Amino acid sequence: AQESAYPDWADKSGAMGVGVNSTLGGVTGINVRPYVTPIFGFSLTLGFGSLSAQDEDVGTTSESNITSIGLGAYGTYKLVDWQRGHVGGLVGLDVVSRGEKVVTAGLTDTDESALDVLAGLGLQGEYFPTQYLSLFASCGLRLDFLSEDATTGSGAAETNIETTGLSIDLGSDLLGAAGFTVWFK
């Protein structure tokens, strides 16, 4: 069958999509995707993670708690489109807050937190196997602005370490992301 025989499932102007996404900045979670015009859309991704671990050695117990909350906001501009998909430019921003606390009985408490702001620029390809479902993948570059505050030790031995800087991930890493969206009109 020829492409023209298919309905235009890729035109999602006025539609709202809900799905799962991983952004170029690393936020993985639930996303909401409205299209403002036939060629311009937004994506908002909210992610949350929590991990607890306990390590027992001879006479010593260590417990770790790690939490992460992230928000990614991206815009998509269709560069090439057809009835079942499109390839578009992608630009966005991710904000990720991470906290880690390690408690070792009788020895040391470590409390570290970090806030990352990441800017992403790339391409996104999207395919519509049905009118109400799309699968997509993205690749691109990211710029990582890092801010970290850490407190190590307890009592009189407590020290504060503050680290700020700029980390640019442009060279050897090809950053990729993928997801799916269920569309409502």
Side-chain angles (χ1 to χ4, degrees):
Q2 293 179 345
E3 184 73 22
S4 61
Y6 294 114
D8 193 2
W9 291 344
D11 182 3
K12 295 299 178 197
S13 56
M16 177 71 69
V18 178
V20 177
N21 184 25
S22 181
T23 68
L24 292 177
V27 174
T28 300
I30 303 295
N31 75 346
V32 177
R33 299 178 60 203
Y35 261 89
V36 181
T37 70
I39 61 170
F40 185 70
F42 291 103
S43 176
L44 186 64
T45 304
L46 177 63
F48 175 79
S50 178
L51 175 67
S52 294
Q54 189 168 3
D55 184 22
E56 294 185 24
D57 288 332
V58 178
T60 306
T61 301
S62 177
E63 184 177 331
S64 299
N65 294 307
I66 302 169
T67 58
S68 174
I69 298 173
L71 180 65
Y74 282 76
T76 306
Y77 184 82
K78 292 182 185 178
L79 301 172
V80 177
D81 66 340
W82 58 96
Q83 294 161 326
R84 291 265 185 133
H86 62 86
V87 175
L90 187 66
V91 63
L93 193 67
D94 293 282
V95 178
V96 180
S97 175
R98 293 182 177 99
E100 180 176 354
K101 184 171 186 174
V102 179
V103 177
T104 305
L107 297 176
T108 306
D109 293 341
T110 304
D111 190 1
E112 297 181 358
S113 62
L115 179 67
D116 284 340
V117 178
L118 305 110
L121 177 66
L123 292 174
Q124 178 176 333
E126 187 164 20
Y127 174 69
F128 293 82
T130 72
Q131 183 178 359
Y132 302 106
L133 176 69
S134 68
L135 307 172
F136 57 90
S138 306
C139 66
L141 308 172
R142 75 175 173 211
L143 181 64
D144 185 356
F145 302 93
L146 176 67
S147 171
E148 185 173 332
D149 296 320
T151 304
T152 306
S154 60
E158 186 173 291
T159 59
N160 287 323
I161 301 168
E162 291 189 20
T163 305
T164 59
L166 175 65
S167 170
I168 304 174
D169 296 329
L170 296 174
S172 62
D173 291 336
L174 177 61
L175 304 172
F180 70 89
T181 303
V182 176
W183 292 94
F184 304 95
K185 196 150 189 167

